[in-house]
Amino acid sequence: MKRTLYIFSDGEIKRKGNTIYFESSEGKKYVPIENTQEILIFGEVSLNKRLLEFLNENEIVVHFFNYYGFYIGSFYPREHLNSGYMILKQAEHYLDTTKRLRLAKKFVWGAVKNIIKVLEYYIARGKPLHEIVERIANLEPSISIANSVENLMAIEGNIRDHYYDSFNIIIENENFTFEGRTRKPPKNMINALISFSNSLVYVVCLSEIYHTHLDPRIGFLHSTNMRRFTLNLDVAEIFKPIIGDRLIFSVINKGIIKPSHFEEKLNGIVLNEKGKQLFVQEFDERLKTTIKHRKLGRHVSYRELIRLELYKLQKHLIGEEEYTPFVAWW
Amino acid sequence: MITGTLIWYYYICPREVWLMSRQLTPWEENPFIELGRLISQESYERDTKEVQIENIVIDIVKTQDEEVIIGEVKKSSRFIKSATMQLAFYLLKLKEYGINAKGILLFPKEKRRIPLSLTKEMEEKLNLAIDRINQIIKSETPPPATKNRFCAKCGYREFCWA
């Protein structure tokens, strides 16, 4: 099975024969190209064009993060799956406001359903979250009557605020108190984790989009602004609660991530190297976790679920089958 | 324009015809595609290979006792129906150009060769298939997914059943 290559140390990455070679003060490492799915680079790494050509040929996406763990950008190789037809369909669903809003609502609806699933999971474990679930459930009908994407975004923000109220109840750890969402920079440890976790979900969605005929620049909920990737942000909405947030709760509650894994930087708080490594390791494990898929009748990993979601989206775009977002059933 | 490949797909799954016509290629992590190409390249080195006539590409062409024989090389006989009809389609095309050729299906890995001549019945079947393929391609949406014995190893499996 193909694996994601994560690089945390500083060093040099290059092509050596038909393998990826990484050299740092901690040693030398050879990674077979055939086993590599994508590369995430966190350390200060130097690389050359020869390597990029090699990765391009082998259709491997590379995601770069800065010293603080914030996403910088991706090396997105030349598109290998081209279908003018699919791009036109995607653009059609973006340009037609009715069609766009219809899809945008699906992403928000899927996100909300999965948020509720996460909360119900903790209710089953004795957390008093009924009231929050109720507040969110009360807001859910407003998604369907939203009349613009902006309006929809506002509703989503509202729901998310209620959702964030649950974080302190779920975590119950005075070291990790959450006082509202802060982004650039995150003002406390929970915010640092949320930011980091979200960017991981974004890049995995982007890597998966690369292996479909979809264009990552045309999103529906998140506006296409001519150059940035946005479709991955849309798809990530559905998976952030069940992959990212669930993981945040679990690493804190199990004591895997501790206050010592953070540092104060940029007038805010970010994960330190050890913290990033630990979180990424757990994240990778989670992506490989499989569940029994009802329709396919076999076990699929969370990563595959993302790919399947993209296929469902394609089927919606070609007018074959109305898209229904994935909602966890456990 | 109908190609031999489309005939091939048609007899495996009509849905594949529609998807391929839109360049919606299947999930590609499939080493068999590369293997098929190699087998076709490295087998029958003495013969004339890859002859292109308009929109058809014939793997192997040779003449024997003033008779033209065209060969289609396949990795395995798993898709024998598709392979037969694809070759029959080439024979039909050649007939339209005034060439009465004979065909031969080649499975080098299985050391099997199956001779094939175009029959009236095959011609009728092909003409029906061509009409049907044109209809499929013209359609706004793909034919619905239906399970068949090829689904298990198909690159569209997840796409169809997600």
Side-chain angles (χ1 to χ4, degrees), chain A residues 30-59:
Chain A
Y30 288 90
V31 185
I33 194 94
E34 297 81 12
N35 298 354
T36 309
Q37 183 150 38
E38 71 201 322
I39 305 177
L40 270 66
I41 297 182
F42 297 92
E44 291 311 315
V45 164
S46 54
L47 47 84
N48 59 18
K49 185 173 119 266
R50 207 166 102 85
L51 177 83
L52 294 179
E53 281 173 25
F54 185 48
L55 298 170
N56 184 62
E57 267 168 44
N58 289 281
E59 295 157 2

PDB file of all heavy atoms in Angstrom, chain A residues 30-59:
ATOM      1  N   TYR A  30      16.104   6.135   2.147  1.00  0.00           N
ATOM      2  CA  TYR A  30      15.663   5.920   0.773  1.00  0.00           C
ATOM      3  C   TYR A  30      14.199   5.518   0.796  1.00  0.00           C
ATOM      4  O   TYR A  30      13.804   4.637   1.549  1.00  0.00           O
ATOM      5  CB  TYR A  30      16.453   4.775   0.126  1.00  0.00           C
ATOM      6  CG  TYR A  30      17.887   5.124  -0.184  1.00  0.00           C
ATOM      7  CD1 TYR A  30      18.894   4.892   0.757  1.00  0.00           C
ATOM      8  CD2 TYR A  30      18.216   5.674  -1.419  1.00  0.00           C
ATOM      9  CE1 TYR A  30      20.218   5.208   0.467  1.00  0.00           C
ATOM     10  CE2 TYR A  30      19.533   5.987  -1.716  1.00  0.00           C
ATOM     11  CZ  TYR A  30      20.531   5.757  -0.767  1.00  0.00           C
ATOM     12  OH  TYR A  30      21.834   6.074  -1.060  1.00  0.00           O
ATOM     13  N   VAL A  31      13.409   6.153  -0.024  1.00  0.00           N
ATOM     14  CA  VAL A  31      11.991   5.793  -0.082  1.00  0.00           C
ATOM     15  C   VAL A  31      11.630   5.416  -1.517  1.00  0.00           C
ATOM     16  O   VAL A  31      11.792   6.217  -2.430  1.00  0.00           O
ATOM     17  CB  VAL A  31      11.096   6.965   0.381  1.00  0.00           C
ATOM     18  CG1 VAL A  31       9.646   6.534   0.433  1.00  0.00           C
ATOM     19  CG2 VAL A  31      11.551   7.483   1.735  1.00  0.00           C
ATOM     20  N   PRO A  32      11.175   4.184  -1.730  1.00  0.00           N
ATOM     21  CA  PRO A  32      10.784   3.795  -3.090  1.00  0.00           C
ATOM     22  C   PRO A  32       9.648   4.668  -3.603  1.00  0.00           C
ATOM     23  O   PRO A  32       8.677   4.912  -2.881  1.00  0.00           O
ATOM     24  CB  PRO A  32      10.308   2.347  -2.933  1.00  0.00           C
ATOM     25  CG  PRO A  32      10.798   1.897  -1.606  1.00  0.00           C
ATOM     26  CD  PRO A  32      10.935   3.122  -0.752  1.00  0.00           C
ATOM     27  N   ILE A  33       9.784   5.120  -4.821  1.00  0.00           N
ATOM     28  CA  ILE A  33       8.779   6.026  -5.388  1.00  0.00           C
ATOM     29  C   ILE A  33       7.423   5.329  -5.540  1.00  0.00           C
ATOM     30  O   ILE A  33       6.380   5.944  -5.361  1.00  0.00           O
ATOM     31  CB  ILE A  33       9.278   6.602  -6.744  1.00  0.00           C
ATOM     32  CG1 ILE A  33       8.432   7.795  -7.180  1.00  0.00           C
ATOM     33  CG2 ILE A  33       9.310   5.572  -7.872  1.00  0.00           C
ATOM     34  CD1 ILE A  33       8.959   9.108  -6.787  1.00  0.00           C
ATOM     35  N   GLU A  34       7.462   4.030  -5.829  1.00  0.00           N
ATOM     36  CA  GLU A  34       6.212   3.291  -6.058  1.00  0.00           C
ATOM     37  C   GLU A  34       5.350   3.237  -4.808  1.00  0.00           C
ATOM     38  O   GLU A  34       4.146   3.057  -4.898  1.00  0.00           O
ATOM     39  CB  GLU A  34       6.486   1.844  -6.502  1.00  0.00           C
ATOM     40  CG  GLU A  34       7.219   1.703  -7.812  1.00  0.00           C
ATOM     41  CD  GLU A  34       8.720   1.879  -7.664  1.00  0.00           C
ATOM     42  OE1 GLU A  34       9.216   1.877  -6.498  1.00  0.00           O
ATOM     43  OE2 GLU A  34       9.403   2.032  -8.686  1.00  0.00           O
ATOM     44  N   ASN A  35       5.997   3.349  -3.642  1.00  0.00           N
ATOM     45  CA  ASN A  35       5.236   3.251  -2.396  1.00  0.00           C
ATOM     46  C   ASN A  35       4.781   4.602  -1.886  1.00  0.00           C
ATOM     47  O   ASN A  35       4.216   4.701  -0.815  1.00  0.00           O
ATOM     48  CB  ASN A  35       6.094   2.623  -1.293  1.00  0.00           C
ATOM     49  CG  ASN A  35       6.498   1.224  -1.640  1.00  0.00           C
ATOM     50  OD1 ASN A  35       6.051   0.688  -2.653  1.00  0.00           O
ATOM     51  ND2 ASN A  35       7.333   0.632  -0.818  1.00  0.00           N
ATOM     52  N   THR A  36       5.097   5.647  -2.637  1.00  0.00           N
ATOM     53  CA  THR A  36       4.825   6.980  -2.117  1.00  0.00           C
ATOM     54  C   THR A  36       3.545   7.555  -2.704  1.00  0.00           C
ATOM     55  O   THR A  36       3.354   7.583  -3.912  1.00  0.00           O
ATOM     56  CB  THR A  36       6.011   7.914  -2.429  1.00  0.00           C
ATOM     57  OG1 THR A  36       7.197   7.263  -1.985  1.00  0.00           O
ATOM     58  CG2 THR A  36       5.877   9.233  -1.711  1.00  0.00           C
ATOM     59  N   GLN A  37       2.692   7.977  -1.807  1.00  0.00           N
ATOM     60  CA  GLN A  37       1.410   8.524  -2.207  1.00  0.00           C
ATOM     61  C   GLN A  37       1.491  10.033  -2.370  1.00  0.00           C
ATOM     62  O   GLN A  37       1.012  10.596  -3.328  1.00  0.00           O
ATOM     63  CB  GLN A  37       0.403   8.190  -1.110  1.00  0.00           C
ATOM     64  CG  GLN A  37      -0.987   8.629  -1.386  1.00  0.00           C
ATOM     65  CD  GLN A  37      -1.962   7.688  -0.722  1.00  0.00           C
ATOM     66  OE1 GLN A  37      -1.728   7.221   0.385  1.00  0.00           O
ATOM     67  NE2 GLN A  37      -3.034   7.390  -1.395  1.00  0.00           N
ATOM     68  N   GLU A  38       2.113  10.679  -1.392  1.00  0.00           N
ATOM     69  CA  GLU A  38       2.255  12.126  -1.378  1.00  0.00           C
ATOM     70  C   GLU A  38       3.349  12.453  -0.368  1.00  0.00           C
ATOM     71  O   GLU A  38       3.760  11.582   0.395  1.00  0.00           O
ATOM     72  CB  GLU A  38       0.944  12.805  -0.952  1.00  0.00           C
ATOM     73  CG  GLU A  38       0.657  12.590   0.522  1.00  0.00           C
ATOM     74  CD  GLU A  38      -0.800  12.764   0.924  1.00  0.00           C
ATOM     75  OE1 GLU A  38      -1.461  13.638   0.391  1.00  0.00           O
ATOM     76  OE2 GLU A  38      -1.247  12.005   1.784  1.00  0.00           O
ATOM     77  N   ILE A  39       3.815  13.710  -0.378  1.00  0.00           N
ATOM     78  CA  ILE A  39       4.869  14.099   0.566  1.00  0.00           C
ATOM     79  C   ILE A  39       4.415  15.353   1.304  1.00  0.00           C
ATOM     80  O   ILE A  39       3.894  16.287   0.698  1.00  0.00           O
ATOM     81  CB  ILE A  39       6.206  14.362  -0.171  1.00  0.00           C
ATOM     82  CG1 ILE A  39       6.597  13.129  -1.006  1.00  0.00           C
ATOM     83  CG2 ILE A  39       7.317  14.695   0.830  1.00  0.00           C
ATOM     84  CD1 ILE A  39       7.860  13.321  -1.824  1.00  0.00           C
ATOM     85  N   LEU A  40       4.598  15.346   2.620  1.00  0.00           N
ATOM     86  CA  LEU A  40       4.300  16.527   3.422  1.00  0.00           C
ATOM     87  C   LEU A  40       5.614  16.991   4.038  1.00  0.00           C
ATOM     88  O   LEU A  40       6.273  16.223   4.745  1.00  0.00           O
ATOM     89  CB  LEU A  40       3.286  16.210   4.535  1.00  0.00           C
ATOM     90  CG  LEU A  40       1.798  16.399   4.184  1.00  0.00           C
ATOM     91  CD1 LEU A  40       1.359  15.415   3.119  1.00  0.00           C
ATOM     92  CD2 LEU A  40       0.921  16.245   5.420  1.00  0.00           C
ATOM     93  N   ILE A  41       5.993  18.223   3.761  1.00  0.00           N
ATOM     94  CA  ILE A  41       7.283  18.713   4.241  1.00  0.00           C
ATOM     95  C   ILE A  41       7.096  19.788   5.306  1.00  0.00           C
ATOM     96  O   ILE A  41       6.495  20.831   5.057  1.00  0.00           O
ATOM     97  CB  ILE A  41       8.130  19.238   3.061  1.00  0.00           C
ATOM     98  CG1 ILE A  41       8.421  18.059   2.103  1.00  0.00           C
ATOM     99  CG2 ILE A  41       9.435  19.864   3.565  1.00  0.00           C
ATOM    100  CD1 ILE A  41       9.282  18.409   0.913  1.00  0.00           C
ATOM    101  N   PHE A  42       7.589  19.492   6.504  1.00  0.00           N
ATOM    102  CA  PHE A  42       7.495  20.420   7.630  1.00  0.00           C
ATOM    103  C   PHE A  42       8.846  21.051   7.947  1.00  0.00           C
ATOM    104  O   PHE A  42       8.934  22.126   8.503  1.00  0.00           O
ATOM    105  CB  PHE A  42       6.959  19.695   8.875  1.00  0.00           C
ATOM    106  CG  PHE A  42       5.566  19.166   8.698  1.00  0.00           C
ATOM    107  CD1 PHE A  42       5.349  17.866   8.248  1.00  0.00           C
ATOM    108  CD2 PHE A  42       4.469  19.968   8.955  1.00  0.00           C
ATOM    109  CE1 PHE A  42       4.065  17.383   8.068  1.00  0.00           C
ATOM    110  CE2 PHE A  42       3.178  19.491   8.776  1.00  0.00           C
ATOM    111  CZ  PHE A  42       2.977  18.188   8.326  1.00  0.00           C
ATOM    112  N   GLY A  43       9.921  20.315   7.639  1.00  0.00           N
ATOM    113  CA  GLY A  43      11.257  20.799   7.978  1.00  0.00           C
ATOM    114  C   GLY A  43      11.785  21.784   6.949  1.00  0.00           C
ATOM    115  O   GLY A  43      11.131  22.092   5.958  1.00  0.00           O
ATOM    116  N   GLU A  44      12.980  22.289   7.194  1.00  0.00           N
ATOM    117  CA  GLU A  44      13.623  23.180   6.229  1.00  0.00           C
ATOM    118  C   GLU A  44      14.361  22.287   5.253  1.00  0.00           C
ATOM    119  O   GLU A  44      15.444  21.784   5.534  1.00  0.00           O
ATOM    120  CB  GLU A  44      14.612  24.128   6.931  1.00  0.00           C
ATOM    121  CG  GLU A  44      13.941  25.169   7.809  1.00  0.00           C
ATOM    122  CD  GLU A  44      12.813  25.904   7.111  1.00  0.00           C
ATOM    123  OE1 GLU A  44      12.991  26.306   5.950  1.00  0.00           O
ATOM    124  OE2 GLU A  44      11.731  26.054   7.722  1.00  0.00           O
ATOM    125  N   VAL A  45      13.756  22.099   4.098  1.00  0.00           N
ATOM    126  CA  VAL A  45      14.286  21.118   3.174  1.00  0.00           C
ATOM    127  C   VAL A  45      14.703  21.794   1.881  1.00  0.00           C
ATOM    128  O   VAL A  45      13.999  22.655   1.373  1.00  0.00           O
ATOM    129  CB  VAL A  45      13.197  20.047   2.895  1.00  0.00           C
ATOM    130  CG1 VAL A  45      13.533  19.233   1.671  1.00  0.00           C
ATOM    131  CG2 VAL A  45      13.026  19.152   4.109  1.00  0.00           C
ATOM    132  N   SER A  46      15.865  21.413   1.367  1.00  0.00           N
ATOM    133  CA  SER A  46      16.209  21.937   0.046  1.00  0.00           C
ATOM    134  C   SER A  46      15.980  20.845  -0.991  1.00  0.00           C
ATOM    135  O   SER A  46      16.169  19.661  -0.723  1.00  0.00           O
ATOM    136  CB  SER A  46      17.641  22.462   0.024  1.00  0.00           C
ATOM    137  OG  SER A  46      18.517  21.463   0.464  1.00  0.00           O
ATOM    138  N   LEU A  47      15.566  21.271  -2.154  1.00  0.00           N
ATOM    139  CA  LEU A  47      15.289  20.311  -3.227  1.00  0.00           C
ATOM    140  C   LEU A  47      15.562  20.972  -4.569  1.00  0.00           C
ATOM    141  O   LEU A  47      15.693  22.180  -4.665  1.00  0.00           O
ATOM    142  CB  LEU A  47      13.848  19.811  -3.142  1.00  0.00           C
ATOM    143  CG  LEU A  47      12.728  20.815  -2.946  1.00  0.00           C
ATOM    144  CD1 LEU A  47      12.292  21.431  -4.262  1.00  0.00           C
ATOM    145  CD2 LEU A  47      11.534  20.119  -2.307  1.00  0.00           C
ATOM    146  N   ASN A  48      15.660  20.160  -5.605  1.00  0.00           N
ATOM    147  CA  ASN A  48      15.937  20.734  -6.917  1.00  0.00           C
ATOM    148  C   ASN A  48      14.887  20.347  -7.956  1.00  0.00           C
ATOM    149  O   ASN A  48      13.970  19.575  -7.676  1.00  0.00           O
ATOM    150  CB  ASN A  48      17.336  20.333  -7.393  1.00  0.00           C
ATOM    151  CG  ASN A  48      17.480  18.818  -7.480  1.00  0.00           C
ATOM    152  OD1 ASN A  48      16.495  18.083  -7.516  1.00  0.00           O
ATOM    153  ND2 ASN A  48      18.709  18.348  -7.522  1.00  0.00           N
ATOM    154  N   LYS A  49      15.041  20.893  -9.139  1.00  0.00           N
ATOM    155  CA  LYS A  49      14.079  20.684 -10.212  1.00  0.00           C
ATOM    156  C   LYS A  49      14.028  19.220 -10.646  1.00  0.00           C
ATOM    157  O   LYS A  49      12.982  18.707 -11.005  1.00  0.00           O
ATOM    158  CB  LYS A  49      14.451  21.580 -11.397  1.00  0.00           C
ATOM    159  CG  LYS A  49      13.450  21.544 -12.531  1.00  0.00           C
ATOM    160  CD  LYS A  49      13.785  22.578 -13.585  1.00  0.00           C
ATOM    161  CE  LYS A  49      14.068  21.962 -14.941  1.00  0.00           C
ATOM    162  NZ  LYS A  49      15.444  21.673 -15.265  1.00  0.00           N
ATOM    163  N   ARG A  50      15.204  18.573 -10.613  1.00  0.00           N
ATOM    164  CA  ARG A  50      15.264  17.166 -10.989  1.00  0.00           C
ATOM    165  C   ARG A  50      14.296  16.334 -10.146  1.00  0.00           C
ATOM    166  O   ARG A  50      13.621  15.446 -10.637  1.00  0.00           O
ATOM    167  CB  ARG A  50      16.702  16.660 -10.786  1.00  0.00           C
ATOM    168  CG  ARG A  50      17.077  15.503 -11.675  1.00  0.00           C
ATOM    169  CD  ARG A  50      18.592  15.336 -11.631  1.00  0.00           C
ATOM    170  NE  ARG A  50      18.967  14.221 -10.757  1.00  0.00           N
ATOM    171  CZ  ARG A  50      19.010  12.954 -11.165  1.00  0.00           C
ATOM    172  NH1 ARG A  50      18.697  12.656 -12.398  1.00  0.00           N
ATOM    173  NH2 ARG A  50      19.357  11.999 -10.334  1.00  0.00           N
ATOM    174  N   LEU A  51      14.238  16.671  -8.861  1.00  0.00           N
ATOM    175  CA  LEU A  51      13.316  15.954  -7.975  1.00  0.00           C
ATOM    176  C   LEU A  51      11.869  16.257  -8.382  1.00  0.00           C
ATOM    177  O   LEU A  51      11.034  15.357  -8.465  1.00  0.00           O
ATOM    178  CB  LEU A  51      13.542  16.346  -6.514  1.00  0.00           C
ATOM    179  CG  LEU A  51      12.543  15.675  -5.572  1.00  0.00           C
ATOM    180  CD1 LEU A  51      12.975  14.270  -5.213  1.00  0.00           C
ATOM    181  CD2 LEU A  51      12.295  16.479  -4.322  1.00  0.00           C
ATOM    182  N   LEU A  52      11.605  17.528  -8.654  1.00  0.00           N
ATOM    183  CA  LEU A  52      10.235  17.900  -9.032  1.00  0.00           C
ATOM    184  C   LEU A  52       9.815  17.183 -10.317  1.00  0.00           C
ATOM    185  O   LEU A  52       8.680  16.740 -10.442  1.00  0.00           O
ATOM    186  CB  LEU A  52      10.111  19.424  -9.190  1.00  0.00           C
ATOM    187  CG  LEU A  52      10.301  20.230  -7.911  1.00  0.00           C
ATOM    188  CD1 LEU A  52      10.175  21.728  -8.191  1.00  0.00           C
ATOM    189  CD2 LEU A  52       9.296  19.836  -6.824  1.00  0.00           C
ATOM    190  N   GLU A  53      10.759  17.067 -11.263  1.00  0.00           N
ATOM    191  CA  GLU A  53      10.445  16.343 -12.500  1.00  0.00           C
ATOM    192  C   GLU A  53      10.102  14.885 -12.210  1.00  0.00           C
ATOM    193  O   GLU A  53       9.176  14.312 -12.775  1.00  0.00           O
ATOM    194  CB  GLU A  53      11.639  16.377 -13.455  1.00  0.00           C
ATOM    195  CG  GLU A  53      11.765  17.678 -14.214  1.00  0.00           C
ATOM    196  CD  GLU A  53      13.056  17.751 -15.028  1.00  0.00           C
ATOM    197  OE1 GLU A  53      13.606  16.680 -15.383  1.00  0.00           O
ATOM    198  OE2 GLU A  53      13.520  18.870 -15.276  1.00  0.00           O
ATOM    199  N   PHE A  54      10.883  14.322 -11.313  1.00  0.00           N
ATOM    200  CA  PHE A  54      10.693  12.935 -10.907  1.00  0.00           C
ATOM    201  C   PHE A  54       9.324  12.744 -10.250  1.00  0.00           C
ATOM    202  O   PHE A  54       8.577  11.809 -10.546  1.00  0.00           O
ATOM    203  CB  PHE A  54      11.823  12.573  -9.939  1.00  0.00           C
ATOM    204  CG  PHE A  54      11.875  11.142  -9.493  1.00  0.00           C
ATOM    205  CD1 PHE A  54      11.784  10.103 -10.401  1.00  0.00           C
ATOM    206  CD2 PHE A  54      12.047  10.838  -8.145  1.00  0.00           C
ATOM    207  CE1 PHE A  54      11.866   8.781  -9.977  1.00  0.00           C
ATOM    208  CE2 PHE A  54      12.126   9.522  -7.718  1.00  0.00           C
ATOM    209  CZ  PHE A  54      12.028   8.489  -8.632  1.00  0.00           C
ATOM    210  N   LEU A  55       8.969  13.670  -9.374  1.00  0.00           N
ATOM    211  CA  LEU A  55       7.677  13.598  -8.683  1.00  0.00           C
ATOM    212  C   LEU A  55       6.531  13.836  -9.668  1.00  0.00           C
ATOM    213  O   LEU A  55       5.472  13.227  -9.577  1.00  0.00           O
ATOM    214  CB  LEU A  55       7.622  14.621  -7.553  1.00  0.00           C
ATOM    215  CG  LEU A  55       8.657  14.407  -6.447  1.00  0.00           C
ATOM    216  CD1 LEU A  55       8.683  15.594  -5.504  1.00  0.00           C
ATOM    217  CD2 LEU A  55       8.366  13.121  -5.675  1.00  0.00           C
ATOM    218  N   ASN A  56       6.789  14.714 -10.621  1.00  0.00           N
ATOM    219  CA  ASN A  56       5.806  15.000 -11.654  1.00  0.00           C
ATOM    220  C   ASN A  56       5.497  13.744 -12.472  1.00  0.00           C
ATOM    221  O   ASN A  56       4.338  13.387 -12.649  1.00  0.00           O
ATOM    222  CB  ASN A  56       6.375  16.100 -12.550  1.00  0.00           C
ATOM    223  CG  ASN A  56       5.387  16.547 -13.602  1.00  0.00           C
ATOM    224  OD1 ASN A  56       4.320  17.051 -13.284  1.00  0.00           O
ATOM    225  ND2 ASN A  56       5.718  16.331 -14.851  1.00  0.00           N
ATOM    226  N   GLU A  57       6.563  13.065 -12.896  1.00  0.00           N
ATOM    227  CA  GLU A  57       6.403  11.834 -13.674  1.00  0.00           C
ATOM    228  C   GLU A  57       5.625  10.786 -12.895  1.00  0.00           C
ATOM    229  O   GLU A  57       4.870  10.005 -13.453  1.00  0.00           O
ATOM    230  CB  GLU A  57       7.773  11.197 -13.925  1.00  0.00           C
ATOM    231  CG  GLU A  57       8.444  11.562 -15.207  1.00  0.00           C
ATOM    232  CD  GLU A  57       9.890  11.096 -15.166  1.00  0.00           C
ATOM    233  OE1 GLU A  57      10.144   9.955 -14.716  1.00  0.00           O
ATOM    234  OE2 GLU A  57      10.755  11.906 -15.555  1.00  0.00           O
ATOM    235  N   ASN A  58       5.859  10.750 -11.599  1.00  0.00           N
ATOM    236  CA  ASN A  58       5.221   9.729 -10.779  1.00  0.00           C
ATOM    237  C   ASN A  58       3.941  10.210 -10.103  1.00  0.00           C
ATOM    238  O   ASN A  58       3.405   9.532  -9.233  1.00  0.00           O
ATOM    239  CB  ASN A  58       6.221   9.199  -9.745  1.00  0.00           C
ATOM    240  CG  ASN A  58       7.275   8.357 -10.416  1.00  0.00           C
ATOM    241  OD1 ASN A  58       7.045   7.202 -10.735  1.00  0.00           O
ATOM    242  ND2 ASN A  58       8.414   8.950 -10.707  1.00  0.00           N
ATOM    243  N   GLU A  59       3.512  11.388 -10.527  1.00  0.00           N
ATOM    244  CA  GLU A  59       2.224  11.924 -10.075  1.00  0.00           C
ATOM    245  C   GLU A  59       2.114  12.016  -8.558  1.00  0.00           C
ATOM    246  O   GLU A  59       1.147  11.549  -7.954  1.00  0.00           O
ATOM    247  CB  GLU A  59       1.088  11.089 -10.675  1.00  0.00           C
ATOM    248  CG  GLU A  59       1.048  11.225 -12.193  1.00  0.00           C
ATOM    249  CD  GLU A  59       0.369  10.063 -12.901  1.00  0.00           C
ATOM    250  OE1 GLU A  59      -0.115   9.164 -12.205  1.00  0.00           O
ATOM    251  OE2 GLU A  59       0.335  10.061 -14.140  1.00  0.00           O
TER     252      GLU A  59
END
